[in-house]
Amino acid sequence: MKVNGTPTRTIWLASDGRGVEIIDQTRLPHDFVTLRLDTLEDAERAIRDMLVRGAPLIGATAAYGMALALRDDASDGRLALAYERLHATRPTAINLRWALDEMRAWLAPLAASARPAAAYARAAAIADEDVAINHAIGTNGHGVIADLWRRRGGTGVFNILTHCNAGWLATVDWGTALAPIYMAHDAGIPVHVWVDETRPRNQGASLTAWELGQHGVPHTVIPDNTGGHLMQHGMVDMCIVGTDRTTRLGDVCNKIGTYLKALAAKDNGVPFYVGLPSPTIDWTVSDGVREIPIEQRDATEVTQMTGRTAQGSLATVTITPPGSPAANYAFDVTPARLVTGLITERGVCPATPQGLLALFPEKETPR
């Protein structure tokens, strides 16, 4: 995708071939700042403090973090330490574990002397694979949008509601939930996006709105509680969201508040789709509500907000009374029964074990 007209990814190898560069997403939408990661500790902080976020990008950053960790010491002990420390940064997004498992399986059989170069090469391949997966999701999702728009008459604005940020900022490029929207827009379908602000970190208002604006896609930021009202009044033609982990039965874990949107969509007959890269499927989990660990983040993300003042400076303010505690559950789980379909790189399927296995038959457990 592009930033001020320049093609840009969210993570890339530095020109010296040693460090890794990222967009500091905590500074968006007010400042576009890139940072260099040089150490395992840098990669840990980038993931934990959400300088990078979104399940696919977390995975790619963890892969590069492994390469950084092994650059000067590629022993078995260092490999194990890097895996453990990176795995501990974020508990919910399954792409983190997937990428680390990929890196460990690739590197463990090699001699220590061969590991550094192999680690950089495999991390770069994981990043490129993510771009290809997301492009395919965009193509398949574009087909869904085009079909729904034609069935509605093929005229007028087609309104899509999304929650949190599942665009290119959440991946290496293209995005999951937003990739179909970008392709539909580029193909001439008059899409308009209702952008949930997505409290408490406001990834919708700060990130989704920013990248849609960069691409020229018409959009409107709304408070999180507005979606149900819009659906009741026929102002939403479809919902599409991303996912941080999806079970083999089709339950979808995504940013807190997604479940409520799915309930409203079901009640109003609005199609509810999920953009789903295959590394986000956790084939070991059946019951998403009970088995997926839900990250609980610092309460200050709820009690404080940061924005630009009228004078142009950035300021963080407290919005709650002194002494009032706050809970900060980062994700919730939408049961498969509320999901119209899963848009993957291999096609679109029902949110059922049969639907997923039809697209990924290699995951069938031998009887």
Side-chain angles (χ1 to χ4, degrees):
M1 308 304 288
K2 295 181 179 179
V3 177
N4 298 324
T6 301
T8 307
R9 285 186 175 187
T10 54
I11 188 167
W12 61 95
L13 192 63
S15 58
D16 62 7
R18 290 174 60 83
V20 175
E21 296 189 70
I22 62 168
I23 299 169
D24 181 354
Q25 297 191 29
T26 65
R27 301 287 295 272
L28 291 172
H30 306 293
D31 296 304
F32 180 80
V33 176
T34 63
L35 294 176
R36 179 183 169 106
L37 311 179
D38 280 301
T39 65
L40 169 62
E41 292 73 21
D42 289 344
E44 284 183 276
R45 185 177 72 86
I47 297 170
R48 182 177 288 111
D49 294 348
M50 296 181 68
L51 281 67
V52 298
R53 22 71 53 209
L57 179 55
I58 288 172
T61 306
Y64 271 119
M66 188 80 81
L68 294 174
L70 301 182
R71 190 174 62 198
D72 299 317
D73 176 4
S75 64
D76 289 348
R78 183 66 171 172
L79 178 63
L81 176 68
Y83 183 102
E84 292 170 5
R85 287 177 54 173
L86 288 164
H87 186 257
T89 54
R90 299 287 303 274
T92 301
I94 193 62
N95 298 62
L96 173 63
R97 189 183 76 196
W98 172 86
L100 291 172
D101 286 346
E102 286 283 310
M103 293 292 289
R104 183 169 62 182
W106 188 264
L107 298 171
L110 302 179
S113 60
R115 285 174 179 170
Y120 276 102
R122 185 63 187 122
I126 286 173
D128 289 342
E129 289 163 11
D130 181 66
V131 177
I133 286 172
N134 296 327
H135 185 273
I137 290 172
T139 299
N140 294 328
H142 172 211
V144 172
I145 293 172
D147 181 61
L148 289 172
W149 184 59
R150 284 192 295 267
R151 279 196 266 163
R152 212 203 56 182
T155 60
V157 174
F158 189 80
N159 288 294
I160 303 172
L161 185 143
T162 191
H163 188 70
C164 196
N165 173 259
W168 72 270
L169 288 169
T171 66
V172 179
D173 206 352
W174 278 103
T176 55
L178 294 194
I181 295 173
Y182 289 130
M183 292 191 182
H185 169 79
D186 292 347
I189 296 176
V191 295
H192 165 265
V193 184
W194 296 111
V195 179
D196 280 352
E197 62 183 344
T198 322
R199 286 275 291 145
R201 290 188 64 92
N202 291 325
Q203 291 112 314
S206 62
L207 303 179
T208 298
W210 181 81
E211 63 171 270
L212 288 171
Q214 287 286 326
H215 200 79
V217 178
H219 62 280
T220 304
V221 177
I222 56 174
D224 287 346
N225 294 330
T226 305
H229 169 79
L230 296 176
M231 293 182 211
Q232 284 181 325
H233 290 270
M235 300 170 70
V236 179
D237 296 300
M238 75 176 293
C239 300
I240 183 169
V241 301
T243 174
D244 289 79
R245 188 186 304 213
T246 295
T247 74
R248 62 184 181 87
L249 301 187
D251 296 337
V252 174
C253 181
N254 193 50
K255 181 67 178 181
I256 193 78
T258 302
Y259 173 44
L260 297 179
K261 296 301 181 299
L263 286 170
K266 186 73 170 181
D267 192 50
N268 290 280
V270 175
F272 187 93
Y273 283 89
V274 179
L276 178 66
S278 58
T280 307
I281 305 170
D282 188 343
W283 297 95
T284 69
V285 169
S286 297
D287 188 334
V289 174
R290 291 171 177 79
E291 296 182 57
I292 295 176
I294 300 300
E295 180 179 1
Q296 296 186 51
R297 296 185 58 80
D298 194 285
T300 58
E301 294 181 354
V302 176
T303 61
Q304 298 178 355
M305 295 186 72
T306 299
R308 189 176 295 281
T309 69
Q311 291 72 38
S313 61
L314 294 180
T316 298
V317 297
T318 300
I319 60 173
T320 54
S324 290
N328 187 11
Y329 296 90
F331 302 93
D332 60 23
V333 175
T334 298
R337 60 184 169 79
L338 300 177
V339 178
T340 305
L342 303 173
I343 304 170
T344 80
E345 70 268 25
R346 294 190 185 179
V348 183
C349 71
T352 64
Q354 297 80 11
L356 283 167
L357 286 172
L359 294 181
F360 303 95
E362 71 275 15
K363 299 298 183 178
E364 180 77 65
T365 302
R367 295 184 182 276

